[in-house]
Amino acid sequence: MGNRLYITGAEPGSGKSAISLAMMELLSGITDRLGVFRPVVSVSAQADPLLELITSNFALDLPRDEQYGCTVETARRLLAADRYDELLKLILDRFSVLKRRCDHVVCIGTDYSSAGGTLEFDFNIDLANNLGCLILPVVRGRGRDAQGVTDATYAFLKSLRERSCDIAAMIVNRVAASQFDATLKRTRERFGDDPPVYVVREEASLGRPTVGDVSEALAAREYYVDADGLNREIGNFKVAAMELPDFLTRIEDGDLIITPGDRSDIILGCLLSHPSTTCPKISGLLLTGGLEPAEPVQQLVQGLGNPPVPILGVDLDTFTTATRVTSVDARLVPGNERKIATALGIVEQSVDLDAMRARLQATQPTRMTPFMFEHELIQRARVQRMRIVLPEGSEERILRACEILLLRNVVDITLLGDEENIRRKISDLALQLHDIRIIDPVTSELREQFADSYHEMRRHNGISRQMAYDAMADVSYFATMMVQHTHADGMVSGAVHTTQETVRPAFEIIRARPDTSIVSSVFFMYLEDRVLVYGDCAINPDPDAGQLADIAISSSETARMFGIEPRVAMLSYSTGTSGKGADVEKVAEATAIAAGRRPDLLLEGPLQYDAAVDAAVARTKLPDSQVAGQATVFIFPDLNTGNNTYKAVQRSANAVAVGPVLQGLNRPVNDLSRGCTVADIVNTVAITAIQAQAGTPPA
């Protein structure tokens, strides 16, 4: 039963989209065969906003026509003909097709678009029971005080128990901040833990529509808009009818300005106000009357490249436009990472995820998939909040990753660089990073202390006090010294800097652990259905047998740290004793050394790659091996082989390579690829936080 979950609003306006996202996030850490199903959609699966959001966010590779039961039109026709049982059977048949593809399926109930909320709730209860699902009702908290919430929750719970529902939990969503504590106290007193009742507070930003929401609702023309512009939140709507000087004194941050398209003064004033340090940051311009800006104004805007604010246009008059925009609802849509991260963060703060996982989990797969891996990264990083320093503070990808990490409460972050420049970049990108810590190494009071320390540890290498002081102006050296002196728990760099620029300070300052002879690296390779560990593909050109053994042991420890059961393949061009040569002998010796030091490890070598990864080949070459054919950790004999192999797999198999993750250092420092994505940065920061949590011996 626990492998099927039915999420339904108990009434209109409950906000089940955020809850559905959070439950999908939770279950993605349990299984790689995760599905989503809607019993009723408006027109088709492709046109259902919630299905599109979830399918896109979790990259679900499922046939769209198997993700829903029927359309609203079909449901109404069958109900009108008194064929209710036939409707249930139709939906059940469609659900059964998807169920066979998936280990866990999240069903998301109807949208209360039809009349009769009570009847629709009963319909969803019937569906949950007939589909064999645990049910998770979402009760509306908005507009209710603590007493009103508990009364409504009790009524819905009574109805569920009368229908013998299997209840996963109940969630009271969108509770006003002023009522949150009282509501939490009263629900705990009233309901206890049978079932659990979780209270989720209202988050104002989730209720604010975006420019994209307005554009879609009004079928607006998008004159000058990019994806970031569409995702800007609207704080208020302002109609510009007065002269520009008076208008400028009345605008506020987040305003969507509504004005006729021929008001060139207002248009130019808005474009100039956004980059100004003395004016509020508006969310966009909405031009009315079917009027386009004058040709010279259009030429001016085009000359700006990327206009500072999005500009939309509609044919409606100004009054009608202003009336309609006030009724535009906020939505969670694919690509709006800020809102998605906010929604997930709010729910995850309020729901006991471990308890929910225990109630929902049916079977636990042994293999680690990319979704499971990433899910565990975030969840484990949040267990003990660590402090991560990011030296590349003005890089856009770094800033966007910081916003996601902070919205999801993963780590505490320090950015390095010129504070004024970084704050300006944050403002230009309209990111929620107002309270983030920023340090300028050039002017920091820590520079003198760090210079003294660096001079002391490197004076025997000819580093003078002045040279040490100059080095501390370098963000990579300053960040590394922050980690060394415990002003930060870990460092992540490399989006702009080379690997050498990132790791050299770590080698000089943090140094290798006493129990290892070499600092090395691994990549986490995200394949379609599993995560593998490749080492060393980034640091050591030609390790000897002892060093290769250290790399194997370190890589197995890294794999285990991140939930991957290590089965270590020591790679060579020969399997077993079939080949001869110095390179094969090096791998054989390394295998013997590693096995002697760690007899508990499942380790095999020399192995060819095909024998390590392919069960059929393994049965032929090493039929009795516990590693061959099922290896999870691959140790390459040298950098040339490892680097080319990981890049070949990355490109030819469409794999994602996360790393290099450094291992063997006294404290965690990790490198990024200069082609890294925002998601890569988020994952690497989480990895660094988990390494920091594990603790390391002092230098």
Side-chain angles (χ1 to χ4, degrees), residues 552-620:
I553 292 170
S554 295
S555 299
S556 69
E557 292 172 348
T558 299
R560 195 182 302 278
M561 182 185 297
F562 293 98
I564 300 170
E565 187 63 30
R567 294 186 290 273
V568 184
M570 306 292 287
L571 297 176
S572 177
Y573 60 76
S574 171
T575 294
T577 59
S578 64
K580 303 292 182 182
D583 292 336
V584 178
E585 291 169 4
K586 180 180 80 169
V587 175
E589 183 182 355
T591 303
I593 294 170
R597 289 174 55 189
R598 289 290 304 277
D600 59 305
L601 278 181
L602 291 177
L603 182 142
E604 190 85 60
L607 273 179
Q608 293 163 289
Y609 191 95
D610 60 347
V613 76
D614 190 306
V617 176
R619 283 193 294 270
T620 301

Side-chain angles (χ1 to χ4, degrees), residues 26 31 49 56 71 80 142 168 175 194 215 245 313 344 378 430 497 507 619 653 682:
L26 177 69
T31 180
S56 171
T71 64
R142 175 185 286 177
V175 175
D194 186 25
S215 180
L344 288 170
I378 297 300
H497 295 87
F507 290 169
R619 283 193 294 270
V682 170

Side-chain angles (χ1 to χ4, degrees), residues 37 39 68-70 74 78-79 83-97 123 126-127 130-131:
F37 182 83
Y68 74 101
C70 66
T74 299
L78 291 173
L79 290 172
R83 296 158 64 185
Y84 183 76
D85 289 343
E86 187 174 334
L87 172 61
L88 291 179
K89 186 178 182 303
L90 170 64
I91 294 171
L92 177 58
D93 288 346
R94 300 278 296 212
F95 175 76
S96 297
V97 174
F123 176 63
D126 248 8
L127 283 174
N130 281 280
L131 299 179

Side-chain angles (χ1 to χ4, degrees), residues 231-489:
N231 287 333
R232 290 191 182 185
E233 293 174 6
I234 300 170
N236 207 347
F237 304 98
K238 295 281 177 65
V239 176
M242 54 184 61
E243 295 294 324
L244 180 63
D246 291 324
F247 163 74
L248 288 175
T249 65
R250 288 166 169 79
I251 61 174
E252 298 173 284
D253 284 334
D255 281 346
L256 179 69
I257 307 303
I258 303 169
T259 192
D262 59 357
R263 287 294 302 272
S264 298
D265 57 332
I266 297 295
I267 296 170
L268 294 174
C270 288
L271 292 174
L272 288 172
S273 72
H274 193 82
S276 172
T277 59
T278 60
C279 288
K281 309 296 182 185
I282 66 171
S283 62
L285 272 166
L286 179 55
L287 309 182
T288 64
L291 301 171
E292 295 187 359
E295 185 64 27
V297 175
Q298 292 189 43
Q299 291 177 2
L300 188 151
V301 174
Q302 290 166 359
L304 295 174
N306 293 320
V309 297
I311 303 176
L312 309 176
V314 293
D315 293 328
L316 302 170
D317 62 75
T318 301
F319 177 80
T320 305
T321 301
T323 301
R324 291 193 180 180
V325 296
T326 59
S327 62
V328 174
D329 292 324
R331 303 174 301 141
L332 288 170
V333 297
N336 194 334
E337 296 296 332
R338 175 191 297 166
K339 276 204 170 183
I340 292 171
T342 300
L344 288 170
I346 291 295
V347 177
E348 290 167 346
Q349 288 174 39
S350 304
V351 176
D352 186 337
L353 297 178
D354 290 335
M356 280 296 293
R357 185 182 293 108
R359 294 177 74 93
L360 301 178
Q361 187 172 344
T363 56
Q364 178 69 48
T366 57
R367 120 181 120 189
M368 179 66 73
T369 68
F371 270 130
M372 294 162 62
F373 185 77
E374 291 189 352
H375 169 86
E376 285 301 314
L377 285 183
I378 297 300
Q379 299 308 312
R380 289 181 58 191
R382 294 170 60 200
V383 169
Q384 181 184 356
R385 198 175 176 102
M386 309 307 290
R387 304 162 300 162
I388 306 300
V389 58
L390 304 176
E392 300 158 326
S394 60
E395 163 62 32
E396 179 177 339
R397 291 166 295 168
I398 294 290
L399 294 174
R400 294 192 182 280
C402 287
E403 183 182 56
I404 291 171
L405 288 161
L406 294 179
L407 285 171
R408 297 199 62 186
N409 303 299
V410 179
V411 293
D412 291 323
I413 293 172
T414 299
L415 297 174
L416 299 189
D418 180 84
E419 182 167 3
E420 184 179 349
N421 180 46
I422 294 173
R423 295 286 184 197
R424 187 183 306 113
K425 192 69 172 285
I426 290 171
S427 177
D428 290 343
L429 295 171
L431 301 175
Q432 294 183 16
L433 293 172
H434 310 298
D435 299 325
I436 198 167
R437 185 188 186 201
I438 301 173
I439 296 177
D440 186 349
V442 176
T443 59
S444 172
E445 60 185 18
L446 293 172
R447 185 178 180 184
E448 292 284 353
Q449 175 192 345
F450 289 173
D452 289 340
S453 178
Y454 184 62
H455 174 238
E456 184 63 29
M457 68 176 65
R458 301 291 294 174
R459 64 195 307 174
H460 66 282
N461 295 98
I463 300 297
S464 68
R465 176 60 173 74
Q466 184 61 47
M467 292 167 67
Y469 183 78
D470 292 342
M472 291 306 111
D474 183 293
V475 291
S476 297
Y477 273 92
F478 191 93
T480 306
M481 198 61 78
M482 284 185 68
V483 177
Q484 175 69 9
H485 286 269
T486 67
H487 292 280
D489 301 306

Side-chain angles (χ1 to χ4, degrees), residues 107-130:
C107 303
I108 305 172
T110 57
D111 291 328
Y112 288 85
S113 55
S114 60
T118 302
L119 293 175
E120 195 152 334
F121 183 61
D122 288 342
F123 176 63
N124 283 294
I125 292 175
D126 248 8
L127 283 174
N129 284 342
N130 281 280

Side-chain angles (χ1 to χ4, degrees), residues 40 74 99 109 173 218 299 331 342 441 486 500 624 672 681:
V40 181
T74 299
K99 185 181 66 175
N173 196 24
L218 274 62
Q299 291 177 2
R331 303 174 301 141
T342 300
T486 67
Q500 187 177 28
D624 298 323
L672 296 164
I681 299 168

